[in-house]
Amino acid sequence: TEDISKCILDEIENQEKISLILMGWPGKLEEEELAHNVVNEVLISAKTNVAVLKDKGMRPIRNILVPIGGGPHSRLGLQIAFEIAESERAHLNVFRTYPFSLPVDDIQDQMAQLEEIIIDELGSFPSRVSANIGEAPNVLDGILAETARYSYDLMVIGASEEWISRHNLFGWIDDQIVLQSPSSVLLVRRYEPVMINWLRRQVKRVVEADPQT
């Protein structure tokens, strides 16, 4: 296993033009098995963008779901999903959850932020793209409720901040989405230098601890 992951990582180092590596889902996600899993090693160590596909029976892609929070990984997911949608002439639904009892003004802000992300990443608001928000007790329930509400052929989702740990592949929520989603799922992780990744996570923790910061 170490030889395989080392060969992949060496190839990435030697080929400067590699901007994305695509891998298949690694199977069981128990922590003991993840410790020496090729996909996990590449995900943590590769100095390039990484995407991992959980194929649940790929069929013609007509509808794509992109849950998005706004971080760099979900923004990369949006870019990749749009390229797929353009190639397949598919519809792309960009989706975000918000908590129960959120004030109306804040709900409107959530939609405005979502539309702003789409324009920032795609340069416009393409006709094949829609934006939707949904009320849910948490992110996992909200995304799974959306997959039950509408039939999607593919979900593209960015890694959570937990991907850097070795306890889960992409993070507990993302791993659960993969396991419970009825559609195939493509998870993506944008490459960031270690210091930038660390700094961004520290800033996020401070903001979450004190939203007025």
Side-chain angles (χ1 to χ4, degrees), residues 78-89:
L78 174 58
Q79 294 171 6
I80 292 174
F82 181 67
E83 291 180 7
I84 295 172
E86 286 281 84
S87 175
E88 300 295 320
R89 297 182 179 179

Side-chain angles (χ1 to χ4, degrees), residues 90-154:
H91 177 259
L92 174 61
N93 182 28
V94 185
F95 178 76
R96 172 181 281 184
T97 62
Y98 63 89
F100 289 133
S101 303
L102 196 67
V104 173
D105 288 347
D106 289 347
I107 294 174
Q108 293 173 345
D109 287 344
Q110 288 286 322
M111 176 60 80
Q113 290 171 15
L114 189 59
E115 293 173 346
E116 183 177 346
I117 289 172
I118 293 171
I119 295 172
D120 284 347
E121 295 305 314
L122 304 183
S124 64
F125 202 119
S127 59
R128 68 174 68 256
V129 176
S130 62
N132 287 285
I133 57 177
E135 188 179 52
N138 55 65
V139 172
L140 176 61
D141 287 350
I143 293 173
L144 293 178
E146 176 63 19
T147 64
R149 185 189 72 83
Y150 194 79
S151 179
Y152 292 97
D153 306 302
L154 176 68

Side-chain angles (χ1 to χ4, degrees), residues 8 11 17 20 40 47 59 61 67 77 88 91 93 95 105 112 119 129 147 152 155 169 183 190 192-193 203:
I8 295 173
E11 183 67 15
K17 295 184 179 180
L20 176 73
N40 195 45
K47 294 179 180 179
R59 53 184 188 244
I61 298 174
E88 300 295 320
H91 177 259
N93 182 28
F95 178 76
D105 288 347
I119 295 172
V129 176
T147 64
Y152 292 97
M155 185 192 310
L169 188 62
S183 69
R190 183 192 292 275
E192 292 180 305
V203 171

Side-chain angles (χ1 to χ4, degrees), residues 9-69:
L9 294 170
D10 286 347
E11 183 67 15
I12 293 171
E13 287 285 343
N14 295 331
Q15 300 291 333
E16 296 181 357
K17 295 184 179 180
I18 294 178
S19 59
L20 176 73
I21 180 168
L22 175 63
M23 307 185 76
W25 193 253
K28 293 183 178 179
L29 299 177
E30 281 76 6
E31 186 174 344
E32 311 79 48
E33 297 176 349
L34 275 180
H36 304 289
N37 185 277
V38 173
V39 175
N40 195 45
E41 289 297 324
V42 172
L43 182 65
I44 290 174
S45 303
K47 294 179 180 179
T48 190
N49 301 326
V50 178
V52 180
L53 176 65
K54 175 62 174 178
D55 185 352
K56 296 191 175 184
M58 292 296 288
R59 53 184 188 244
I61 298 174
R62 296 292 176 263
N63 293 291
I64 303 172
L65 175 65
V66 181
I68 195 164

